[in-house]
Amino acid sequence: MKKLLGCVCALIAINSFAAWSYNSDTSTITDGNWELVCSKGTGEKELIIGVAKDWNNAYKAGSGVLDLTTFEENTGYKIVKFNNWAFNVAGTSGNANLIGVICPTATIISKNAFAYCKKITMISFPEVIEIGNNAFYGCTGLSGDVEFPKLKILNFEAFRGCKGITGMSMPSLISLQNSALRECSSLTNLVVSPDIHTFGNQGLRDCPLVDITPREFPKIINNNGLTHGFMGVAKLKGTLSFPNMTVVEQCFFYGCGVEKISIPAATVIKRDAFNGSKLKTLTVSPDKITTINYQAFYGCKDLTAVPDNIFDVVKVVEYGAFQDCTAMTTPPVIKSPYLTAIAKDTFNGTAGKFNGAVDIYSPIASIGDNAFLQSANGQVYNFYSEAVPATIGVDAFSGKAQTDMSKLYVHNYKAVKGWTELCAANDSVFETLKSREDYPGSSAIGVIKCDSASMGSTYHWVISQITTGSVITLH
């Protein structure tokens, strides 16, 4: 008997059998215990385990740990690959006789090769550079730490559902594809290459990661268009940096636990990118972000302020972008000269805790439904542009209670006329509302009406901040 510390960190007894032999006439290999079907590789002295024609296509006989350590020495041939479905019996069943695999020479493990081999408890493949789709899907017997020192590509669902693996060290990995480690529900530590360029769609979903090495990923540009990269990695904390990422893909950090993220090259933040995450600080560069798609920061309940520079040159902010960011106390400064609309629900459920005025320098032509719904009582909005909103939606400025009306201050003398015309339809109501305690006095131009789904018609003060000879300086 001998013992081996394999790539899964567990000591397993390995049975010693006769030397390996290869029969080219029958295309089989055997060591007296295992008898396996093989096929020729591309090289003269290369063999592939399995023939990729049917389920369980490699297996003829044998049980225990398949140890191929001495195969090349015994036969003069090198095992370079495990073929499709080599030990996968029928879709959701695997070979029940296999409890471990050691192969020091294979470089490729093809799709479904060991899928649902639930009795496998250890594997060792030090030369493998690519693992195919579903290769170890559902191998629930694997446990402990798994090491693949030369692995570069981990394909679709390669280890999905391997619930016993606690750590994976893949220091050469540059591509982690869709769902590759999904539902590895004990995986707490992950090592990949600093040159990794792809975290696939839901590749880490439902993994309780507490650490990932490295923490900076300079080769990720747009993640090859793949989404949901760190989705659901809720226990991962600290900082992540993506210095060259230009596009934050859809749901990329959805529900992620990381508090500080740096994306200085980003220009586009796609839908739900940070939805429900634990984000506290987002670093973006000045004059970079042009597009924030819908609900990009929805439900970021630890975000206390809109990230610095995010409104510098943005052209599009879609609906619900900062909705329900309930810890946001610092009011936004909306200053992009290219932004013409505050979309529906942009700050819905967020505006209620602002500790100061919302400053709007952008030439806003429309304000959508619920844009600042549930705003603080008497919330102040400063409008500095000469533009005047042509449309103001339902509940755009409505608070939880209308004790004090919101106050819209006009700071540009060129806009006063437009705001006055906008208020004109409500002149009779304005005269009535002058009796309120929160009436701002003679500087009031009038009131705007916001029909409310829950409160009927609500009104908000429009107030001129222009004095004779005043000079207005705009951002």
Side-chain angles (χ1 to χ4, degrees):
M1 300 286 286
K2 61 180 180 179
K3 291 186 176 182
L4 173 74
L5 181 63
C7 285
V8 174
C9 292
L11 289 172
I12 295 182
I14 309 298
N15 292 322
S16 297
F17 295 103
W20 284 98
S21 62
Y22 166 53
N23 187 326
S24 59
D25 294 331
T26 60
S27 296
T28 57
I29 61 173
T30 185
D31 69 345
N33 172 36
W34 292 100
E35 184 178 3
L36 305 175
V37 179
C38 61
S39 52
K40 289 288 186 68
T42 55
E44 183 179 353
K45 290 289 186 176
E46 293 181 347
L47 293 177
I48 299 170
I49 300 295
V51 292
K53 289 183 178 180
D54 203 352
W55 307 111
N56 203 27
N57 59 75
Y59 182 77
K60 290 182 75 69
S63 62
V65 175
L66 174 60
D67 185 357
L68 294 159
T69 303
T70 62
F71 184 83
E72 186 174 12
E73 177 186 347
N74 295 159
T75 67
Y77 285 81
K78 179 188 291 188
I79 302 296
V80 295
K81 180 178 178 181
F82 285 77
N83 233 327
N84 303 343
W85 304 290
F87 293 93
N88 179 227
V89 175
T92 57
S93 297
N95 190 303
N97 297 299
L98 188 65
I99 65 170
V101 186
I102 304 167
C103 185
T105 56
T107 58
I108 304 291
I109 300 174
S110 298
K111 66 181 182 180
N112 297 93
F114 299 98
Y116 291 101
C117 290
K118 296 181 180 180
K119 292 191 176 181
I120 289 182
T121 58
M122 64 82 63
I123 51 177
S124 178
F125 296 99
E127 296 295 317
V128 159
I129 59 173
E130 181 172 1
I131 297 178
N133 297 352
N134 310 109
F136 293 94
Y137 190 124
C139 289
T140 52
L142 286 174
S143 62
D145 296 336
V146 179
E147 298 177 10
F148 290 99
K150 297 185 178 180
L151 182 66
K152 292 182 178 293
I153 301 172
L154 189 63
N155 282 302
F156 174 71
E157 295 187 335
F159 282 90
R160 182 171 179 176
C162 292
K163 299 179 179 180
I165 295 176
T166 57
M168 293 197 76
S169 179
M170 301 175 286
S172 301
L173 190 73
I174 58 173
S175 179
L176 189 152
Q177 290 295 316
N178 297 354
S179 298
L181 300 176
R182 184 172 178 176
E183 297 165 7
C184 289
S185 55
S186 298
L187 182 63
T188 57
N189 293 276
L190 178 65
V191 177
V192 298
S193 169
D195 294 327
I196 192 168
H197 56 69
T198 304
F199 283 97
N201 185 350
Q202 303 185 63
L204 301 172
R205 185 171 181 178
D206 302 320
C207 294
L209 282 181
V210 296
D211 194 23
I212 184 170
T213 303
R215 290 288 181 131
E216 181 171 279
F217 305 100
K219 295 298 179 71
I220 293 182
I221 308 300
N222 70 344
N223 202 47
N224 289 319
L226 296 177
T227 62
H228 301 74
F230 282 80
M231 180 180 184
V233 188
K235 293 188 177 181
L236 188 64
K237 306 297 181 184
T239 301
L240 291 177
S241 177
F242 300 81
N244 299 305
M245 178 185 278
T246 58
V247 178
V248 185
E249 287 292 344
Q250 174 185 335
C251 300
F252 196 77
F253 297 103
Y254 191 114
C256 181
V258 175
E259 298 100 339
K260 296 182 179 181
I261 296 174
S262 177
I263 49 169
T267 60
V268 176
I269 300 175
K270 290 195 173 180
R271 57 168 286 196
D272 296 300
F274 296 93
N275 189 325
S277 73
K278 295 295 183 180
L279 183 69
K280 291 182 179 179
T281 304
L282 180 68
T283 301
V284 300
S285 294
D287 301 329
K288 277 286 188 180
I289 301 295
T290 62
T291 304
I292 303 172
N293 289 145
Y294 68 86
Q295 297 187 330
F297 296 91
Y298 182 100
C300 289
K301 298 184 185 298
D302 295 290
L303 197 63
T304 59
V306 168
D308 291 344
N309 307 314
I310 209 163
F311 277 115
D312 282 2
V313 294
V314 70
K315 296 179 180 180
V316 176
V317 180
E318 292 183 345
Y319 75 82
F322 293 94
Q323 185 173 352
D324 283 342
C325 296
T326 52
M328 190 175 290
T329 55
T330 302
V333 178
I334 301 171
K335 59 183 179 179
S336 170
Y338 310 108
L339 186 66
T340 60
I342 299 175
K344 173 184 177 182
D345 291 314
T346 298
F347 292 98
N348 183 356
T350 298
K353 292 187 178 180
F354 289 161
N355 59 15
V358 176
D359 290 332
I360 303 172
Y361 294 87
S362 300
I364 300 300
S366 68
I367 300 173
D369 294 350
N370 312 319
F372 295 94
L373 182 62
Q374 300 185 50
S375 60
N377 195 32
Q379 176 66 47
V380 172
Y381 301 87
N382 291 316
F383 288 84
Y384 293 93
S385 171
E386 63 185 72
V388 178
T391 57
I392 297 177
V394 171
D395 276 328
F397 298 102
S398 297
K400 292 183 179 179
Q402 204 61 28
T403 306
D404 290 339
M405 294 155 58
S406 295
K407 299 177 178 66
L408 283 58
Y409 285 96
V410 180
H411 293 262
N412 192 307
Y413 73 95
K414 292 183 179 180
V416 171
K417 180 181 179 181
W419 280 99
T420 302
E421 292 172 351
L422 188 65
C423 294
N426 305 310
D427 280 350
S428 60
V429 177
F430 176 46
E431 291 302 319
T432 302
L433 292 174
K434 284 181 179 180
S435 61
R436 288 175 56 94
E437 289 186 6
D438 60 335
Y439 172 55
S442 59
S443 59
I445 294 171
V447 293
I448 58 166
K449 177 184 176 183
C450 291
D451 289 327
S452 172
S454 59
M455 301 167 62
S457 295
T458 64
Y459 295 89
H460 309 285
W461 302 113
V462 177
I463 306 158
S464 172
Q465 287 294 90
I466 307 302
T467 58
T468 303
S470 62
V471 177
I472 305 299
T473 301
L474 303 181
H475 283 206

